[in-house]
Amino acid sequence: MKSTSFKNHISVDCVIFGYNEEENKLEVLLIEQKEPSQNSSHPYVPQFALPGDLVNEEESLDDAAVRVLKELTHVEGLHLRQFFSFGDPMRVKQEKDIEWLKFYRSDPDARVITVSYYTLVRKEMINPEPGSFAKNVVWRNIKRVPPLAFDHNQIVKKATEDIKDRIYQNHIAHQLLPKKFTLRQLQNLYEVVLNTEFDKRNFVKRIKKDEELIPLAEKQKGVMHKPAQLYSFKMKKKK
Amino acid sequence: MKSTSFKNHISVDCVIFGYNEEENKLEVLLIEQKEPSQNSSHPYVPQFALPGDLVNEEESLDDAAVRVLKELTHVEGLHLRQFFSFGDPMRVKQEKDIEWLKFYRSDPDARVITVSYYTLVRKEMINPEPGSFAKNVVWRNIKRVPPLAFDHNQIVKKATEDIKDRIYQNHIAHQLLPKKFTLRQLQNLYEVVLNTEFDKRNFVKRIKKDEELIPLAEKQKGVMHKPAQLYSFKMKKKK
DNA sequence: ACAAAAGTGTTTTAGATACACCCATGC
DNA sequence: GCATGGGTGTATCTAAAACACTTTTGT
């Protein structure tokens, strides 16, 4: 009558999108896994992976995501959004991952269900440094994500789709631009996230419905063309 | 170095919305928990709950949702959509739930993370019958959902929000109306899911962009008013 | 004849799209 | 003076919303 008693590991994985304004690119934060001890009989090829790890006892999923991100990358203070859970029994059974699991998990054969989170942040606002089993942290263009550990490529893909659906909500640009910015900077951000291009006149008309843009008594300096007007945001009440 | 080894239970919960066309209501399928043996020192008050149970070893989350729904309600053949995971450590620690857990779980104190699914189905197309630890199955209007076990009220709420965001996608009406239907039937369905009302002229104009409606050589019969034209759907290619 | 819901079009408003030329600066 | 990107307005199209009277049936 009682339910069978096997249990699972629960992990969280974080997809941190970094907005690289200089090059107008979206990048994703990856860790490079530390190599297990080389005593193993199997060859080990270090892999890139999303920052993610097991959830602790008595810790909420949201809290775990924040903690794990901090432990592996020393990045904190971000608002992470849960978007999907991945639980295919085979997701931790691939050849490429078993050596790593053997070394880092007391029960390497255990099934792991992962709850995934993402956020979008201005790349230079965070300064990731490797921690825990991360040998290194790297940014990679989302258009050229390398093969990742486990099913992390699939997770990145789903996060990318999800963020597009939500960009026009929640004033996503507020954290991603400097306090003073030009309309071109704002447009670049939307274009790179949505992977498209807009007519600049039409773009401003649309964006002004969602954002109140305050023109400042200040202009761009040192550019080899007509200097752009600077703006700042004012929070608009939601409709 | 190795990760600590405690584990968790994983469950799935299913929010089955039933469209009751007669009364133009949306209802949610609940089970009534079987009472544990009365040997217990604690009083037990049977509760309503979503159909849900632990995921088996080697079973995908999607498969588990399908299986669990079948075991508890004998309902099968539905397409369930994953929408959110709930993992608050306290979600299985409330007084109201501990007696049930003690009886039905070999490890009643274990943490349970649940992955939630929903679907929307024509109520009379399924014939739920209780199974497993379900003493009974009942439909309840989504506007009057009783207090449920665990955090299931929260799960229902989130599913209700999510389904509204997606009703205009994926031809949701195709499974929910009879092969031959009137425009009023179609409009009623949208109105009850979105909890709103439309002007019938405007509604048809809008819906015709998503759905190709084929007028049949047949009319409603036996009604005490002008009989309505019957239609059927033709799948339109997505834009 | 009455009650009930079906059927039917036009006008107005708002949002989305398409489109091209002049301007201010650094070199 | 030239290269560079900034700044600007209008016309068109499409979608959404508001709105009321006539028709057909059963009783």
Side-chain angles (χ1 to χ4, degrees):
Chain A
M1 194 58 159
K2 298 210 179 194
S3 300
T4 50
S5 65
F6 50 82
K7 298 189 185 176
N8 309 275
H9 287 309
I10 300 291
S11 66
V12 287
D13 283 301
C14 301
V15 184
I16 309 300
F17 292 108
Y19 177 48
N20 173 342
E21 191 187 320
E22 270 53 59
E23 306 176 46
N24 203 37
K25 285 176 180 167
L26 266 197
E27 298 178 283
V28 61
L29 182 61
L30 302 174
I31 62 168
E32 193 176 1
Q33 292 174 341
K34 247 182 211 166
E35 300 177 47
S37 90
Q38 292 301 26
N39 301 335
S40 166
S41 53
H42 291 70
Y44 176 74
V45 182
Q47 295 188 90
F48 293 107
L50 292 173
D53 199 4
L54 302 183
V55 174
N56 284 338
E57 252 176 319
E58 302 300 324
E59 179 185 48
S60 77
L61 300 173
D62 293 356
D63 290 347
V66 169
R67 173 186 58 78
V68 164
L69 181 64
K70 183 177 174 186
E71 287 178 0
L72 286 163
T73 69
H74 296 92
V75 168
E76 51 189 323
L78 305 185
H79 176 73
L80 298 165
R81 176 185 186 94
Q82 186 197 314
F83 69 97
F84 204 74
S85 299
F86 298 82
D88 189 308
M90 299 309 289
R91 65 181 292 279
V92 290
K93 305 293 185 187
Q94 293 164 88
E95 177 69 24
K96 61 173 178 140
D97 298 311
I98 57 177
E99 279 304 308
W100 188 90
L101 288 165
K102 274 190 196 166
F103 191 78
Y104 285 106
R105 297 279 164 81
S106 59
D107 185 356
D109 296 322
R111 179 172 182 182
V112 184
I113 281 96
T114 199
V115 182
S116 301
Y117 287 77
Y118 71 78
T119 196
L120 176 50
V121 70
R122 194 170 172 78
K123 187 184 163 188
E124 69 266 28
M125 291 313 296
I126 62 176
N127 184 28
E129 295 289 344
S132 183
F133 57 79
K135 183 171 71 178
N136 208 354
V137 288
V138 297
W139 290 103
R140 285 289 182 273
N141 192 311
I142 57 161
K143 295 187 176 181
R144 286 182 297 278
V145 180
L148 303 178
F150 309 111
D151 54 354
H152 288 187
N153 288 93
Q154 187 188 350
I155 296 175
V156 171
K157 182 159 179 252
K158 189 133 186 149
T160 307
E161 292 163 1
D162 204 279
I163 204 167
K164 286 184 191 180
D165 292 342
R166 299 185 196 275
I167 187 172
Y168 282 114
Q169 304 161 5
N170 293 337
H171 307 285
I172 201 169
H174 287 225
Q175 288 76 253
L176 295 169
L177 291 180
K179 286 206 186 61
K180 303 170 181 182
F181 55 87
T182 66
L183 295 179
R184 168 54 53 184
Q185 287 177 290
L186 183 61
Q187 186 172 339
N188 281 344
L189 171 61
Y190 275 77
E191 287 182 345
V192 76
V193 172
L194 293 173
N195 192 28
T196 186
E197 295 189 7
F198 299 110
D199 176 278
K200 58 187 172 181
R201 290 162 292 191
N202 295 336
F203 175 74
V204 173
K205 274 183 271 180
R206 170 149 50 134
I207 210 71
K208 279 188 175 163
K209 276 179 306 199
D210 301 322
E211 304 279 5
E212 193 159 350
L213 297 174
I214 304 172
L216 305 174
E218 205 175 337
K219 283 174 190 276
Q220 233 180 356
K221 289 194 124 182
V223 287
M224 260 192 306
H225 54 76
K226 178 172 176 178
Q229 175 67 51
L230 291 171
Y231 291 84
S232 69
F233 286 121
K234 180 170 158 188
M235 193 62 85
K236 243 188 179 176
K237 66 167 177 273
K238 286 188 192 177
K239 36 178 172 176
Chain B
M1 192 59 155
K2 299 213 180 195
S3 299
T4 49
S5 65
F6 50 82
K7 298 189 187 177
N8 309 275
H9 287 309
I10 300 290
S11 66
V12 288
D13 283 303
C14 301
V15 184
I16 309 300
F17 293 108
Y19 176 49
N20 174 341
E21 192 187 318
E22 269 54 58
E23 306 176 45
N24 202 37
K25 285 177 180 166
L26 265 198
E27 299 177 283
V28 61
L29 182 60
L30 303 174
I31 63 168
E32 193 175 3
Q33 293 173 340
K34 245 181 212 167
E35 301 178 46
S37 89
Q38 293 300 27
N39 301 337
S40 166
S41 53
H42 292 68
Y44 175 75
V45 182
Q47 295 188 90
F48 293 106
L50 292 172
D53 199 4
L54 301 183
V55 174
N56 285 339
E57 251 176 319
E58 303 300 323
E59 178 185 49
S60 77
L61 300 173
D62 293 357
D63 290 347
V66 169
R67 174 187 56 80
V68 163
L69 180 64
K70 183 177 174 186
E71 287 177 0
L72 286 162
T73 69
H74 295 92
V75 169
E76 53 189 321
L78 306 185
H79 175 73
L80 298 166
R81 178 187 186 93
Q82 185 197 314
F83 69 99
F84 204 74
S85 298
F86 298 82
D88 190 309
M90 301 309 289
R91 65 181 292 279
V92 290
K93 306 292 185 186
Q94 295 165 86
E95 176 69 23
K96 62 176 176 135
D97 298 310
I98 55 177
E99 279 303 309
W100 187 90
L101 287 165
K102 273 190 198 165
F103 191 79
Y104 285 106
R105 295 280 163 83
S106 59
D107 184 356
D109 296 321
R111 179 172 182 181
V112 184
I113 281 95
T114 198
V115 182
S116 301
Y117 287 78
Y118 70 77
T119 197
L120 175 50
V121 70
R122 195 171 172 77
K123 186 184 163 189
E124 69 266 28
M125 290 313 293
I126 62 177
N127 184 28
E129 295 289 344
S132 184
F133 56 80
K135 182 172 70 178
N136 209 351
V137 289
V138 297
W139 290 103
R140 285 291 182 270
N141 192 312
I142 56 162
K143 296 189 176 179
R144 285 182 298 279
V145 179
L148 302 178
F150 310 111
D151 55 355
H152 288 187
N153 288 93
Q154 187 189 349
I155 296 175
V156 171
K157 183 159 177 254
K158 187 134 187 147
T160 308
E161 292 163 1
D162 204 278
I163 204 167
K164 286 184 190 178
D165 291 342
R166 301 184 194 275
I167 187 173
Y168 283 114
Q169 304 162 4
N170 293 335
H171 307 285
I172 202 169
H174 288 223
Q175 287 78 252
L176 295 169
L177 291 179
K179 285 205 186 63
K180 303 171 182 183
F181 54 88
T182 66
L183 295 179
R184 168 55 52 186
Q185 286 177 292
L186 183 60
Q187 184 172 342
N188 282 344
L189 171 60
Y190 276 77
E191 287 181 344
V192 76
V193 173
L194 293 172
N195 193 28
T196 185
E197 294 188 8
F198 298 110
D199 176 276
K200 58 186 173 182
R201 290 163 291 189
N202 295 337
F203 174 75
V204 173
K205 273 183 270 181
R206 170 146 50 131
I207 211 69
K208 278 187 177 166
K209 276 179 305 198
D210 301 322
E211 305 277 6
E212 193 160 351
L213 298 175
I214 304 172
L216 305 174
E218 206 174 335
K219 285 174 189 274
Q220 234 180 355
K221 289 195 124 183
V223 287
M224 258 191 310
H225 55 76
K226 179 173 176 177
Q229 175 69 51
L230 291 171
Y231 292 84
S232 69
F233 286 120
K234 181 171 158 186
M235 193 62 85
K236 242 188 181 175
K237 65 168 175 275
K238 285 186 192 178
K239 33 178 173 180

